[in-house]
Every structure is written in structure tokens, then in C-alpha cells.
Amino acid sequence: MDRTTAHGGDGGGTRAGTGGGPSRRRLLGAGAAATVSGAFLTGAAGAGRGPAAGPGRVPGAAAAKAPGAAGAPRPADWAALAKGLDGTLVRPGDRDYDAARTLFNPRFDAVRPAGVAYCARPEDVQSCLAFARRHGVPVAVRSGGHSYAGWSSGPGLVVDVQRMASVSLSGGTATIGAGAKLIDVYDRLTARGRTVPAGSCPTVGVAGLVLGGGIGVVSRAYGVTSDSLTGARIVTADGRTRDVDATRDPDLFWALRGGGNAQFGVVTELRMRTHAAPECTTFFLRWPWSRAAAVVREWQRWAPAAPDGIWANLHLAAPVGGRPGSVRVGGLALTGRRDLENRLDRLAGAIGAAPASESIRTRPFMDAMKVMGGVSGWSIAQAHQKGSLPGRTPQGRVARESYAARSDFYTRPVPAAGVKALIARVEQLARLAGGGAGSIALDAMGGATNRVRPGDTAFVHRDALFLAQYIVSWPDRAPAATVARHRAWLDATYDVMRPWASGRAYQNYTDPALRDWRRAYYGANIDRLVKVKAAYDPGRLFRHPHGF
């Protein structure tokens, strides 16, 4: 889900927990996957035609110089930019540079931006974009740093919105700074009995999640995250700050709900319709691996057709070089506990075996979000990355993780042959070496998500039964050969499932290897998105390999 680990989470995203709520690395090792969504690189050459991002490399190192550009910036130009910001500009050689330049995924640690601007208000963003236009500097936009492809960094200027992280509630509408972390959004809204349908990875930035759609653990009840977006403040390529909604710049507002990740400008604030944050029930069940085929067969019949208030996922996972231990079904219910238990009993009956273990617990909504985010029992301060920069806390315990992932939406049940292929791919991990883990995670769709027409927002995926994420992790600083073998497993898993997948993919799980990414992410909505791009960024200031 927008889990990034999830979004990752998803992504992104939904970090689907298993009982105790492990981190991504522990999720993968224990048989659950998580994901995150992130912002995209802008200023990359050859939008839509860029090379796939390899380990430690971000595509788009070159940027076309804007008309009338003043030439490459000198140190004095950078100093002038820094002086004009209310926020902070971090440059190579500065004390905080190494921390400021890194993303959540260590795969991209070799990328060294020329500057990272922590913008404190929209005027700072305007100054950064004017600087980029004047000097032909490529721009990357970052709200959380969870981009699967590393496109929230680059060689030029990173426009970081994490200082704009306030969360307020007026009536039923939340006003949320674009850089707010999901854990903070949940914390501040649930204190007032409200929430938004978002992912589960606690450190994902809310803007990246919303603008790519946003799949989470209450999406079946409340819709995807972008369905709750009622307005946004955005600095567009021409330097204007616009407040957009259904009546002001309606085409741009439409595009931001599912197609807006650094395509049209830098979003600085979101206005969102909130929903009730009631007490809910989390559930986690495990069956032995010998029951894997039956669990997958019955889960895909049960989960997408459950009442809107029930969301469920399924994980098939194994450690690299090890043996799959069990099949896990987990989820969350806003419905009554007794009804949930009856439905889980019927699922077990259809599978033909009671689960080997189960945990069903009614919790406050915020506690459930911590469980799903892998931070159960942690304080809010601990549910961040460690550090003193915006978006981090000195008490932070969320660790960075090395991984890669791909995704598929499924619009039809996977037949027996496809289920067999899924299981075989997980078992194939035993033939790898070098540590790490892999997982196939299925997240139920349907409910409120699918009652929106595909063209009503830019998020087109309104007919899926479930979303699949294939993910593999490896130890930090693993040799290149190990990373290559793990990623080969990922690509082979994706290829094997072509006969049964819809051909659609989740835009928040950015996949540089996709060939027809336009149709995979946006379907029939791509033509309208291209027109919106031409209207609001005709000079293509915002560019990346999956740019319109």
C-alpha cells in the first residue's frame, strides 16, 4: 500500500504490519512487505525516455538550459539564494550536507545535489524555481524522500518542503503542510477524532502520497487519499502561487488527484476532507506454507468483496537462501469485531484449515495506525528518522532500508496456474545468496475506491480487485553482484505474472523499468494529463523520466 514499505506506501505508503508491526527490513524477513511513495525528479533530460535508474544512480543528470539562462551559478549566486530564503540552504561542505542529501533508500547514496533547500513557505519555493530557471539548474522536489526510483533527489537543486509540516483542523477540513509525515498527520487528526485515508509508512511525506493517489488501510471505507483532497496550494512553473480546487484551476486540481507528483509545480499545502477515526480491530492470521495455494485462492475471493469497513492484505515471503515459513493475512476493520470474526471463520473454512496462529485485537485508531506502520509501542518522536533536520527527530528510530519493488493491479482473480507461479517465485528466493528477503504482497481494493469513475480524478485504477507489490531487499552496502541477483529475481517475478496481470501499475510505486508507463499508470487519463501539463508548464521546467 502506500506503504512504502510500505508507499510505500501504497507509496508511498502502506507499511503492512504483522502483529507486532515490524520495520521494512523486519517485514521482509518475517514475511510481510511495506512500501512508500515519494516525489519525483524534475529537470531531468529526456522526459519519458530516460534510462532506468541503476543502483546508486539517478537518471536525468543533465538539464536543458532555460531560455535566457544566466549560466551555471557561481558561489555568490548560491549565497544570494540562501540569503533570500526564510528556510535553509544546505550545500556541499556544510555540516548537515551528508544527512540532507540522503533519501530513505541507501541505493541512491551516490547522488550529490548541488544544494538542498528546506523551504519554509511558498515564497521560498518561488525563489528556488526562479534560481533554477535563471541558471538552468535541474530541480528535484522532495516531501519525504521515499521515491522508489530516487527521483526526489538529483544533481541540481533539491526543493524540500519538509519544513512546511503544520496540521490543523477546522470543522471537517484539515489543512496540511506538504512536508508533514504520515505519523504526524495521524497523530494530530486522531486527537480530534478525525483522520484521512492515507498509507501506513510513518515517515512518508503526505504530498507525495496524495498526489500519486494514495492507497491505505482504510481506502475501502473512505477512498484513496486523493479522493479526500478538496484543494491545494501550489507554486507552478511560472512562479505563481495558486490556490486550486474544483472551481479555481479545475483542470490542474483534477490532475493533482493522482497525476501530480512534481509534474506541474511544487505543492506546499493540502486541504483535505476528514473522516471519523473510530476504534477499530486489527487482525493477523498465519497458515503453514503448505496451505499457500489455498490461502491465495480464497483470499482473493474474500478480501475485495468484504464490506467497505474491512481491509485485508496477504503476504508470501521468504528470507533469501531460506525457506518460506508461513502465509500471512492481516488487516484492519472499522466494522464490529463479532462480524469480523465470523467472516474470518468463513475464510478459514473455505481454506480448509484453521490458522496456525491468529491475533485479533480492538484498538484506538491511532494505535492501529502504529501497528500497521511497524512502530507499535513507539512514541510519535521515535516514529521518525533520527536527526535534527526537518522531518527528523533526535529520538527517531525508523531505519533506512535498501530495496527495490514493482507493482501490478489485478482486475481478475488469479487462476490456479498464476497462484502456482506466485508461490514458485517466493520459493525461488532459496536459490539466491547474499542475505536480504523478498515478498509478494497483495492489498485488497474495491469498496469506496472503486465507486469513483476512472475519469473523475487522475487516479484511474477504479476496477482493480487488488494491488500486488513484488519487493526485494538486500543488506546495506551489499556487493553490486548481490544487488544485481536480487533485482533479477524481482524482474523475473514481474515477467512471470504477465499472463494474469492487468498491465496497470501504481504510480506511487515508481518503476523505471516500465516500458509503457503512461498507460500503466494513467490509462485513458494520460491524454488529459498531457494537456494540463502543456497549459501549466509549457517550458517543461519540471522534468523527469516519467514526465508528461
Side-chain angles (χ1 to χ4, degrees):
M1 301 232 358
D2 259 7
R3 347 177 233 205
T4 203
T5 234
H7 143 301
D10 168 50
T14 298
R15 178 190 289 266
T18 58
S23 70
R24 182 197 308 270
R25 186 176 290 109
R26 285 178 286 160
L27 272 169
L28 286 164
T35 53
V36 250
S37 63
F40 290 65
L41 176 72
T42 63
R49 300 183 299 277
R57 182 168 63 90
V58 174
K65 187 173 292 187
R74 300 167 299 176
D77 298 316
W78 287 103
L81 174 63
K83 186 176 181 179
L85 300 179
D86 280 356
T88 306
L89 178 66
V90 181
R91 292 266 289 146
D94 290 347
R95 180 189 61 185
D96 290 330
Y97 177 73
D98 281 336
R101 70 181 180 83
T102 54
L103 303 180
F104 186 80
N105 195 328
R107 283 173 59 195
F108 310 110
D109 279 359
V111 180
R112 300 184 64 83
V116 178
Y118 288 99
C119 296
R121 56 195 184 110
E123 290 81 359
D124 284 356
V125 175
Q126 291 175 317
S127 296
C128 287
L129 297 187
F131 178 89
R133 288 193 302 268
R134 183 180 311 117
H135 296 286
V137 174
V139 177
V141 183
R142 187 171 74 185
S143 66
H146 284 265
S147 169
Y148 276 21
W151 295 347
S152 47
S153 186
L157 176 61
V158 175
V159 178
D160 188 294
V161 299
Q162 290 181 89
R163 285 193 60 169
M164 293 180 279
S166 62
V167 180
S168 62
L169 184 67
S170 177
T173 299
T175 301
I176 305 172
K181 303 297 187 182
L182 292 191
I183 192 68
D184 296 318
V185 173
Y186 283 135
D187 178 51
R188 293 166 195 170
L189 293 183
T190 56
R192 304 277 296 277
R194 308 298 293 176
T195 191
V196 292
S200 56
C201 182
T203 58
V204 163
V206 67
L209 174 70
V210 172
L211 301 178
I215 298 172
V217 298
V218 294
S219 291
R220 301 188 73 255
Y222 298 144
V224 297
T225 317
S226 57
D227 291 341
S228 293
L229 186 68
T230 61
R233 180 166 293 173
I234 179 173
V235 181
T236 47
D238 58 6
R240 289 179 56 188
T241 296
R242 304 170 187 258
D243 283 307
V244 304
D245 55 29
T247 60
R248 296 175 293 180
D249 294 296
D251 283 344
L252 179 56
F253 177 62
W254 173 88
L256 293 180
R257 289 178 291 165
N261 275 310
Q263 300 277 12
F264 315 103
V266 180
V267 171
T268 61
E269 183 180 274
L270 305 161
R271 295 183 295 280
M272 302 191 69
R273 180 173 58 254
T274 63
H275 308 263
E279 189 174 68
C280 54
T281 303
T282 58
F283 57 94
F284 303 96
L285 302 87
R286 302 188 184 197
W287 281 267
W289 190 253
S290 61
R291 293 285 181 175
V295 175
V296 176
R297 181 190 69 225
E298 297 304 327
W299 178 92
Q300 64 179 332
R301 295 173 180 172
W302 174 79
D308 292 1
I310 298 176
W311 172 85
N313 61 10
L314 182 150
H315 289 112
L316 304 164
V320 169
R323 295 178 60 84
S326 60
V327 184
R328 293 167 172 82
V329 171
L332 177 146
L334 303 179
T335 56
R337 176 167 177 162
R338 179 168 296 182
D339 175 71
L340 170 67
E341 290 175 338
N342 288 338
R343 292 177 184 278
L344 292 174
D345 286 344
R346 290 196 289 272
L347 173 63
I351 291 169
S357 67
E358 68 175 38
S359 171
I360 303 174
R361 182 174 174 183
T362 301
R363 313 169 185 267
F365 190 87
M366 185 64 205
D367 287 355
M369 293 304 100
K370 286 185 174 183
V371 169
M372 292 295 171
V375 293
S376 180
W378 294 11
S379 69
I380 297 300
Q382 289 171 329
H384 291 76
Q385 288 184 263
K386 186 178 181 62
S388 58
L389 291 169
R392 309 184 189 192
T393 65
Q395 302 87 2
R397 294 175 57 184
V398 175
R400 301 170 69 220
E401 303 170 66
S402 299
Y403 64 94
R406 306 192 70 175
S407 71
D408 273 315
F409 283 103
Y410 285 81
T411 56
R412 298 174 297 169
V414 179
V419 172
K420 183 178 179 180
L422 279 176
I423 294 169
R425 289 310 303 162
V426 177
E427 293 174 344
Q428 182 74 15
L429 289 164
R431 301 182 184 180
L432 297 181
S439 176
I440 295 172
L442 310 181
D443 295 324
M445 301 288 285
T449 295
N450 287 18
R451 285 196 290 273
V452 178
R453 292 179 299 181
D456 284 355
T457 73
F459 186 83
V460 75
H461 310 292
R462 304 294 185 171
D463 60 350
L465 295 177
F466 55 89
L467 169 65
Q469 181 175 205
Y470 321 109
I471 187 167
V472 65
S473 71
W474 52 85
D476 296 344
R477 296 178 294 278
T482 295
V483 176
R485 285 193 299 268
H486 285 49
R487 295 185 70 184
W489 174 87
L490 178 66
D491 291 338
T493 300
Y494 178 85
D495 291 342
V496 162
M497 298 309 296
R498 291 309 86 214
W500 306 286
S502 69
R504 298 285 174 86
Y506 182 30
Q507 53 264 47
N508 268 351
Y509 296 163
T510 315
D511 184 355
L514 279 179
R515 293 184 179 180
D516 189 8
W517 59 266
R518 291 170 178 253
R519 296 296 170 183
Y521 292 155
Y522 305 111
N525 287 342
I526 186 62
D527 295 334
R528 185 176 176 185
L529 285 166
V530 169
K531 292 179 181 178
V532 176
K533 174 71 169 181
Y536 287 92
D537 186 16
R540 300 181 63 79
L541 175 66
F542 297 100
R543 304 185 186 186
H544 58 73
H546 286 178
F548 306 139

